[in-house]
Amino acid sequence: DTAVSQTPKYLVTQMGNDKSIKCEQNLGHDTMYWYKQDSKKFLKIMFSYNNKELIINETVPNRFSPKSPDKAHLNLHINSLELGDSAVYFCASSQTRGRTEAFFGQGTRLTVV
Amino acid sequence: GESVGLHLPTLSVQEGDNSIINCAYSNSASDYFIWYKQESGKGPQFIIDIRSNMDKRQGQRVTVLLNKTVKHLSLQIAATQPGDSAVYFCAENQAGTALIFGKGTTLSVSS
């Protein structure tokens, strides 16, 4: 069983479209995250949810909106996609906030054309 | 803001050699550190972690060293194998925050 799974794995879309990436974890963890990895492999935290509550919201355009329907799911919706949104997006989860390892999904490669 | 960084973007070693990957962190309040390995097309995978009350921690073929005085973290891989080729990230964490990642070192192992 995959611990953290995200769909789709690849997403190609045109500028201006709205798209969503879904993430689910079956580890029973309380905390989930979205990270963005750019073309230089730099991983940057975007959002963090703890028990469905938003606890970290880094400087991310408000076109990005996370939604956590329950503790096991954290979806990422992106409005009005721009070329600069092209990146690999990783979902992750950890048992608690801080001082513990995070488990990552396999990533979603988003390409905006 | 403060962030974790790595000294070298790439490291090339011969199979069987020991590898040392370095990382400098700037946030003295960080109290937990992790090394991750990321293979091509995959998400980061946990290798080893260390808390700030320790200087050294060993795993299978890997050792993490923490020097809080100079805010330096290193990952040592013994008898490096081709399967160790990947991008390695150090990450730091403070209580209640998410992991903050450094820029990554690409390790290439030639046989």
Side-chain angles (χ1 to χ4, degrees):
Chain A
D1 277 347
T2 304
V4 181
S5 60
Q6 51 184 111
T7 55
K9 187 171 172 65
Y10 299 99
L11 184 55
V12 181
T13 188
Q14 290 187 325
M15 280 173 48
N17 284 350
D18 302 338
K19 291 293 178 186
S20 292
I21 306 172
K22 295 185 176 182
C23 179
E24 175 182 6
Q25 53 97 1
N26 63 5
L27 298 167
H29 287 169
D30 287 341
T31 309
M32 295 186 73
Y33 313 85
W34 277 108
Y35 281 84
K36 178 181 179 180
Q37 187 170 46
D38 62 22
S39 58
K40 296 181 180 177
K41 299 285 188 184
F42 185 60
L43 273 160
K44 184 173 170 57
I45 181 70
M46 299 174 69
F47 302 103
S48 176
Y49 270 73
N50 187 65
N51 278 320
K52 300 196 302 175
E53 179 186 349
L54 179 65
I55 55 171
I56 292 175
N57 183 352
E58 290 296 309
T59 308
V60 176
N62 56 15
R63 298 182 295 103
F64 290 78
S65 53
K67 286 194 169 47
S68 182
D70 55 59
K71 206 172 75 164
H73 296 84
L74 180 62
N75 303 323
L76 183 65
H77 188 75
I78 315 169
N79 289 328
S80 302
L81 278 154
E82 300 177 358
L83 293 176
D85 297 332
S86 296
V88 182
Y89 293 84
F90 286 98
C91 177
S93 73
S94 62
Q95 192 167 16
T96 60
R97 297 164 55 174
R99 298 199 191 102
T100 184
E101 70 174 288
F103 293 78
F104 283 79
Q106 81 277 21
T108 296
R109 180 174 293 278
L110 171 65
T111 303
V112 183
V113 297
Chain B
E2 294 177 294
S3 63
V4 178
L6 285 171
H7 293 298
L8 292 174
T10 61
L11 177 64
S12 297
V13 300
Q14 292 282 329
E15 183 178 0
D17 286 352
N18 296 332
S19 303
I20 299 176
I21 301 172
N22 294 305
C23 173
Y25 66 95
S26 57
N27 194 334
S28 55
S30 294
D31 56 8
Y32 178 69
F33 305 88
I34 296 185
W35 281 99
Y36 278 91
K37 173 186 180 183
Q38 185 179 21
E39 296 174 292
S40 180
K42 296 184 179 180
Q45 292 178 288
F46 171 88
I47 301 173
I48 192 167
D49 60 0
I50 188 167
R51 300 189 187 278
S52 58
N53 60 353
M54 302 173 69
D55 298 323
K56 179 179 178 179
R57 190 154 189 239
Q58 287 183 292
Q60 189 176 11
R61 282 201 306 118
V62 294
T63 301
V64 56
L65 299 177
L66 175 63
N67 185 330
K68 294 181 287 293
T69 303
V70 295
K71 290 185 279 191
H72 184 268
L73 194 69
S74 69
L75 177 70
Q76 300 177 4
I77 305 173
T80 314
Q81 302 167 1
D84 294 327
S85 295
V87 181
Y88 289 81
F89 295 93
C90 65
E92 64 178 314
N93 189 279
Q94 304 168 38
T97 69
L99 289 170
I100 306 301
F101 282 79
K103 293 182 179 175
T105 290
T106 299
L107 176 65
S108 299
V109 183
S110 52
S111 52

